[in-house]
């Protein structure tokens, strides 16, 4: 049941990505071209998403004791605003601006069977694992 | 308003609902960068993440299959694809999230970390695209 729910949530997410236009690089670059020829369309994706997530996390979640198919809600616990967060977000923004793909659309677009997307995905995973490896080496040393 | 605005809004609502359902059913945050990393790093424990990602691909396919909307064309040089992908990977791991985890879920939770992260990656995205398209970087 848990796996079926995961598949359904993923499918709805992927459907939303394609419907919204997030899987079209030209659209994304148009949205990020704020200081040039701005196409505001994709701002509505975030508006739509937050329109649902905000009321849920602020008012709905507190009324539910536990998830339907898991023991506990796993919410992020970090609260520190540090260089790591800022540098990470900054790098992510640069990579996003270079190609026009963020992780969700990068995976969803695999549906288009375009080999170029796979290059992006493999490079993205490499970046994540290199960072994770360096992280763990540094923690082990200190 | 043009149709694309409504499609973007409807798509965003689907994404928001998907993250809400994922939290209600499995108690997990719908942040794709984290889900991708977990799925590859620990596929046995995170079998749900693999199914979620399979759904992501299936969902994108279904949209084009049902609507007949043309499939987007990707014309990005391979070195740029590789560089962009790598930087996105490093950035999302360092910054603990991407557009979905910080932008949709984190802002929904009113997390200060996520609000700052979202403003930062949007700003850098704007600057990068400006420099790429309009900058006269010799």
């Amino acid at each position: 049941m848990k796996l079926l729910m995961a598949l359904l949530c993923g499918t709805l997410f992927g459907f939303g990505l394609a419907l919204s236009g997030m899987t079209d690089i030209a659209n994304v670059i148009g949205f990020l071209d704020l200081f040039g020829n701005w196409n505001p369309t994709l701002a509505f994706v975030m508006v739509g998403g937050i329109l649902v997530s905000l009321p849920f996390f602020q008012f709905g979640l507190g009324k539910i004791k536990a998830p339907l198919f898991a023991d506990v809600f796993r919410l992020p616990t970090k609260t520190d605003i540090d260089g790591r967060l800022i540098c990470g977000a900054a790098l992510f923004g640069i990579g996003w601006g270079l190609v026009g793909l963020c992780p969700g659309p990068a995976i969803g677009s695999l549906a288009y069977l375009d080999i170029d997307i796979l290059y992006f995905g493999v490079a993205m995973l490499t970046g994540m694992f290199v960072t994770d490896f360096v992280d763990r080496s540094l923690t082990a040393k200190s | 308003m043009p149709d694309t605005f409504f499609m973007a809004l409807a798509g965003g609502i689907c994404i928001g609902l998907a993250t809400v359902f994922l939290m209600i059913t499995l108690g997990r945050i719908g942040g794709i960068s984290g889900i991708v990393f977990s799925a590859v790093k620990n596929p046995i424990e995170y079998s749900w993440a693999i199914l979620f990602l399979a759904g992501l691909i299936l969902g994108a396919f279904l949209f084009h299959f049902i609507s007949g909307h043309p499939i987007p064309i990707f014309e990005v040089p391979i070195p740029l694809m590789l560089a962009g992908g790598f930087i996105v990977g490093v950035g999302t791991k360092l910054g603990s999230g991407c557009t979905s985890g910080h932008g949709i879920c984190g802002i929904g939770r009113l997390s200060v970390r996520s609000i700052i992260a979202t403003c930062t990656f949007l700003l850098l995205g704007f600057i990068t695209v400006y420099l790429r398209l309009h900058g006269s970087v010799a």
Side-chain angles (χ1 to χ4, degrees):
Chain A
M1 197 46 134
K2 193 176 162 177
L3 295 180
L4 180 68
M5 286 301 148
L7 180 70
L8 287 176
C9 291
T11 307
L12 182 60
F13 200 115
F15 189 89
L17 281 174
L19 166 65
S20 67
M22 285 289 292
T23 54
D24 187 344
I25 284 180
N27 243 344
V28 177
I29 297 298
F31 167 68
L32 290 178
D33 196 10
L34 178 70
F35 306 126
N37 198 0
W38 194 43
N39 172 3
T41 310
L42 292 188
F44 288 86
V45 184
M46 196 171 257
V47 171
I50 295 172
L51 219 53
V52 178
S53 71
L54 189 75
F56 169 72
F57 281 109
Q58 297 310 314
F59 311 112
L61 186 59
K63 297 197 170 71
I64 312 170
K65 281 201 189 103
L68 293 174
F69 306 104
D71 298 334
V72 285
F73 292 111
R74 288 170 197 262
L75 293 163
T77 48
K78 283 187 200 166
T79 50
D80 34 334
I81 313 297
D82 50 11
R84 199 187 149 93
L85 177 77
I86 306 287
C87 290
L91 280 174
F92 167 46
I94 294 172
W96 192 26
L98 280 179
V99 177
L101 281 175
C102 52
I107 303 293
S109 301
L110 291 174
Y112 305 149
L113 300 176
D114 187 324
I115 188 86
D116 286 9
I117 311 282
L118 205 56
Y119 288 125
F120 185 92
V122 171
M124 180 174 87
L125 275 171
T126 310
M128 287 177 176
F129 277 90
V130 167
T131 310
D132 183 55
F133 177 76
V134 172
D135 243 2
R136 280 184 294 121
S137 323
L138 290 178
T139 330
K141 262 182 204 162
S142 59
Chain B
M1 272 204 312
D3 285 355
T4 49
F5 281 32
F6 288 109
M7 286 169 71
L9 190 66
I13 290 172
C14 287
I15 294 169
L17 285 174
T19 60
V20 167
F21 290 152
L22 188 68
M23 185 50 73
I24 294 177
T25 56
L26 303 192
R28 297 282 183 167
I29 284 281
I32 306 300
S33 58
I35 293 178
V36 170
F37 179 76
S38 305
V40 178
K41 179 160 189 177
N42 203 341
I44 311 273
E45 190 187 339
Y46 285 88
S47 49
W48 69 268
I50 296 175
L51 267 289
F52 181 91
L53 296 175
L56 211 59
I57 300 172
L58 178 67
F61 167 79
L62 280 177
F63 167 71
H64 293 279
F65 186 75
I66 295 169
S67 70
H69 212 75
I71 284 172
I73 298 162
F74 296 88
E75 278 175 353
V76 181
I78 290 172
L80 193 62
M81 270 300 200
L82 291 172
F86 187 80
I87 298 172
V88 166
V90 173
T92 51
K93 191 82 193 78
L94 264 187
S96 321
C98 59
T99 357
S100 48
H102 281 312
I104 307 275
C105 298
I107 291 188
R109 294 189 306 113
L110 295 177
S111 147
V112 179
R113 253 173 79 82
S114 290
I115 293 168
I116 290 180
T118 305
C119 292
T120 307
F121 67 65
L122 278 173
L123 180 68
L124 267 292
F126 293 147
I127 295 173
T128 305
V129 168
Y130 179 80
L131 291 177
R132 249 186 71 207
L133 300 185
H134 315 287
S136 49
V137 187

